[in-house]
Amino acid sequence: MLAMIVSGPAQAAMLSDAEAMFLDQLVTASVVLEQRCDGYEVDGAGGVQLGARLLGSPEAAMAMIDAYAAAIKARDGESYDPRKFRPEVSDAARKTFRRVRTDLIRNPKRACADYGEISVEQGLLRRY
């Protein structure tokens, strides 16, 4: 009985492979912007289109974007919609954020180009 109780929430809190992939890409693009890599800006429509392809619908893409936004607000101590907050999104986003940001700090020129261009190819960012 205890195993069923413990495994139920654990299964519910897992990101699907598609969610994890989209979140990783979303976080990577946001870190490029946060670190002020020159020449890149957000491509909102492209991000939703990528998410829709990976997750099956624009609504699913927007739900993941909203969950990531809620995670950022929660981390920053700002008010957020608790219905949109998903702890598994917050945990995964934090790990990706740290990894990408560390790389951008250690080698900003190379990492900005690498991560920025990947995000452009995926449609999350565009060059200006």
Side-chain angles (χ1 to χ4, degrees):
M1 177 80 147
L2 181 60
M4 289 175 57
I5 293 170
V6 172
S7 67
Q11 289 174 352
M14 297 282 300
L15 292 173
S16 70
D17 289 343
E19 287 176 319
M21 180 183 299
F22 181 52
L23 181 62
D24 185 74
Q25 294 165 346
L26 190 62
V27 172
T28 298
S30 71
V31 178
V32 168
L33 296 174
E34 189 259 348
Q35 290 296 303
R36 295 182 179 89
C37 293
D38 291 336
Y40 300 102
E41 63 185 8
V42 72
D43 184 346
V48 174
Q49 290 170 353
L50 172 64
R53 281 193 308 274
L54 291 171
L55 303 177
S57 73
E59 294 79 15
M62 286 306 301
M64 181 57 69
I65 292 167
D66 288 343
Y68 178 46
I72 292 169
K73 289 177 181 178
R75 182 198 70 210
D76 292 346
E78 297 177 24
S79 63
Y80 61 93
D81 185 343
R83 294 170 296 165
K84 294 179 180 181
F85 182 82
R86 294 174 55 189
E88 67 277 16
V89 168
S90 182
D91 292 343
R94 182 177 54 253
K95 290 174 187 171
T96 299
F97 184 91
R98 285 181 181 161
R99 175 181 51 81
V100 174
R101 187 165 183 245
T102 297
D103 204 16
L104 284 163
I105 290 169
R106 286 183 180 155
N107 192 341
K109 190 170 187 154
R110 180 199 50 80
C112 275
D114 290 349
Y115 290 122
E117 289 308 309
I118 288 169
S119 295
V120 168
E121 290 171 14
Q122 294 166 338
L124 290 159
L125 299 179
R126 63 178 163 238
R127 288 192 127 317
Y128 66 83

Short mmCIF file of all heavy atoms in Angstrom, two decimals, residues 4-6 19 25 35 49 52 56 58 60 65 74 84 96 101 103 110 114 120 122 125:
data_model
loop_
_atom_site.label_atom_id
_atom_site.label_comp_id
_atom_site.label_asym_id
_atom_site.label_seq_id
_atom_site.Cartn_x
_atom_site.Cartn_y
_atom_site.Cartn_z
N MET A 4 2.36 2.08 -3.37
CA MET A 4 1.41 2.68 -4.31
C MET A 4 1.26 4.17 -4.03
O MET A 4 1.19 4.98 -4.95
CB MET A 4 0.06 1.99 -4.22
CG MET A 4 0.06 0.58 -4.79
SD MET A 4 -1.49 -0.28 -4.55
CE MET A 4 -2.65 0.83 -5.33
N ILE A 5 1.23 4.54 -2.76
CA ILE A 5 1.08 5.94 -2.38
C ILE A 5 2.32 6.73 -2.80
O ILE A 5 2.23 7.81 -3.37
CB ILE A 5 0.83 6.08 -0.87
CG1 ILE A 5 -0.53 5.49 -0.52
CG2 ILE A 5 0.93 7.53 -0.42
CD1 ILE A 5 -0.79 5.36 0.96
N VAL A 6 3.49 6.18 -2.55
CA VAL A 6 4.74 6.86 -2.88
C VAL A 6 4.95 6.91 -4.39
O VAL A 6 5.35 7.93 -4.92
CB VAL A 6 5.94 6.17 -2.18
CG1 VAL A 6 7.25 6.74 -2.66
CG2 VAL A 6 5.80 6.32 -0.68
N GLU A 19 8.49 16.97 -22.89
CA GLU A 19 8.47 18.12 -21.98
C GLU A 19 9.88 18.49 -21.55
O GLU A 19 10.25 19.67 -21.53
CB GLU A 19 7.62 17.83 -20.75
CG GLU A 19 6.15 17.81 -20.98
CD GLU A 19 5.39 17.43 -19.73
OE1 GLU A 19 5.82 16.50 -18.99
OE2 GLU A 19 4.34 18.05 -19.48
N GLN A 25 15.38 23.33 -23.97
CA GLN A 25 15.58 24.30 -25.04
C GLN A 25 15.10 25.69 -24.63
O GLN A 25 15.76 26.69 -24.92
CB GLN A 25 14.87 23.82 -26.31
CG GLN A 25 15.48 22.55 -26.86
CD GLN A 25 14.60 21.86 -27.89
OE1 GLN A 25 13.43 22.16 -28.03
NE2 GLN A 25 15.20 20.92 -28.61
N GLN A 35 22.02 36.39 -20.07
CA GLN A 35 23.45 36.71 -20.05
C GLN A 35 23.81 37.78 -21.08
O GLN A 35 24.97 38.11 -21.27
CB GLN A 35 24.29 35.45 -20.31
CG GLN A 35 24.26 34.47 -19.17
CD GLN A 35 24.90 35.06 -17.92
OE1 GLN A 35 26.04 35.48 -17.93
NE2 GLN A 35 24.15 35.09 -16.83
N GLN A 49 5.57 27.42 -31.58
CA GLN A 49 5.53 26.43 -32.67
C GLN A 49 6.41 25.23 -32.35
O GLN A 49 6.00 24.08 -32.56
CB GLN A 49 5.96 27.07 -33.99
CG GLN A 49 4.95 28.05 -34.53
CD GLN A 49 5.47 28.85 -35.70
OE1 GLN A 49 6.65 28.77 -36.07
NE2 GLN A 49 4.60 29.64 -36.30
N ALA A 52 4.67 23.23 -29.69
CA ALA A 52 3.51 22.53 -30.24
C ALA A 52 3.96 21.28 -31.00
O ALA A 52 3.32 20.23 -30.90
CB ALA A 52 2.71 23.45 -31.15
N GLY A 56 2.61 18.45 -28.92
CA GLY A 56 1.35 18.05 -29.53
C GLY A 56 0.32 19.15 -29.73
O GLY A 56 -0.64 18.95 -30.46
N PRO A 58 -0.40 23.81 -29.33
CA PRO A 58 0.03 25.11 -28.81
C PRO A 58 -0.34 25.29 -27.34
O PRO A 58 0.39 25.94 -26.59
CB PRO A 58 -0.72 26.12 -29.69
CG PRO A 58 -1.10 25.38 -30.92
CD PRO A 58 -1.27 23.95 -30.51
N ALA A 60 -0.39 22.97 -25.01
CA ALA A 60 0.60 22.26 -24.20
C ALA A 60 1.91 23.06 -24.14
O ALA A 60 2.57 23.12 -23.10
CB ALA A 60 0.85 20.87 -24.76
N ILE A 65 5.47 26.82 -21.02
CA ILE A 65 6.03 28.16 -20.91
C ILE A 65 5.53 28.83 -19.63
O ILE A 65 6.30 29.45 -18.89
CB ILE A 65 5.70 29.00 -22.16
CG1 ILE A 65 6.45 28.43 -23.38
CG2 ILE A 65 6.02 30.47 -21.94
CD1 ILE A 65 5.98 28.96 -24.72
N ALA A 74 8.70 32.10 -8.72
CA ALA A 74 8.84 31.48 -7.39
C ALA A 74 10.28 31.60 -6.90
O ALA A 74 10.51 31.93 -5.74
CB ALA A 74 8.41 30.02 -7.45
N LYS A 84 -0.14 27.02 -11.98
CA LYS A 84 0.79 26.83 -13.10
C LYS A 84 2.15 26.32 -12.65
O LYS A 84 2.94 25.86 -13.46
CB LYS A 84 0.94 28.14 -13.87
CG LYS A 84 -0.34 28.54 -14.55
CD LYS A 84 -0.21 29.83 -15.30
CE LYS A 84 -1.55 30.17 -15.95
NZ LYS A 84 -1.46 31.41 -16.72
N THR A 96 19.29 22.93 -15.68
CA THR A 96 19.70 23.39 -17.01
C THR A 96 20.25 24.80 -16.93
O THR A 96 21.28 25.12 -17.52
CB THR A 96 18.52 23.33 -18.00
OG1 THR A 96 18.08 21.98 -18.12
CG2 THR A 96 18.91 23.86 -19.36
N ARG A 101 24.41 28.55 -17.77
CA ARG A 101 24.97 29.80 -17.26
C ARG A 101 26.44 29.64 -16.91
O ARG A 101 27.26 30.52 -17.20
CB ARG A 101 24.18 30.28 -16.05
CG ARG A 101 24.62 31.65 -15.60
CD ARG A 101 23.61 32.24 -14.65
NE ARG A 101 23.99 33.59 -14.28
CZ ARG A 101 24.32 33.94 -13.06
NH1 ARG A 101 24.30 33.07 -12.07
NH2 ARG A 101 24.65 35.18 -12.80
N ASP A 103 28.57 27.62 -18.28
CA ASP A 103 29.29 27.58 -19.54
C ASP A 103 29.41 28.98 -20.15
O ASP A 103 30.45 29.37 -20.66
CB ASP A 103 28.58 26.64 -20.51
CG ASP A 103 29.49 26.09 -21.58
OD1 ASP A 103 30.73 26.18 -21.44
OD2 ASP A 103 28.96 25.56 -22.58
N ARG A 110 32.28 31.95 -26.99
CA ARG A 110 31.99 30.67 -27.63
C ARG A 110 30.60 30.17 -27.25
O ARG A 110 29.82 29.75 -28.09
CB ARG A 110 33.02 29.60 -27.26
CG ARG A 110 32.74 28.24 -27.94
CD ARG A 110 33.44 27.08 -27.26
NE ARG A 110 33.27 27.00 -25.82
CZ ARG A 110 32.18 26.50 -25.20
NH1 ARG A 110 31.17 26.07 -25.88
NH2 ARG A 110 32.15 26.45 -23.89
N ASP A 114 27.41 29.37 -29.55
CA ASP A 114 26.89 28.00 -29.62
C ASP A 114 25.43 27.93 -29.19
O ASP A 114 24.57 27.45 -29.93
CB ASP A 114 27.72 27.06 -28.75
CG ASP A 114 29.12 26.81 -29.29
OD1 ASP A 114 29.40 27.19 -30.45
OD2 ASP A 114 29.94 26.24 -28.54
N VAL A 120 18.41 29.71 -32.17
CA VAL A 120 17.88 30.26 -33.43
C VAL A 120 17.41 29.12 -34.32
O VAL A 120 16.30 29.17 -34.88
CB VAL A 120 18.95 31.12 -34.15
CG1 VAL A 120 18.52 31.44 -35.59
CG2 VAL A 120 19.21 32.41 -33.37
N GLN A 122 16.34 26.27 -33.49
CA GLN A 122 15.14 25.66 -32.93
C GLN A 122 13.93 26.58 -33.03
O GLN A 122 12.80 26.14 -32.85
CB GLN A 122 15.39 25.28 -31.46
CG GLN A 122 16.42 24.20 -31.32
CD GLN A 122 16.91 24.04 -29.90
OE1 GLN A 122 16.83 24.95 -29.07
NE2 GLN A 122 17.45 22.87 -29.61
N LEU A 125 14.85 31.73 -30.52
CA LEU A 125 15.45 33.06 -30.64
C LEU A 125 15.58 33.40 -32.11
O LEU A 125 15.53 32.53 -32.97
CB LEU A 125 16.83 33.09 -29.98
CG LEU A 125 16.94 32.80 -28.51
CD1 LEU A 125 18.40 32.86 -28.06
CD2 LEU A 125 16.09 33.75 -27.69
#
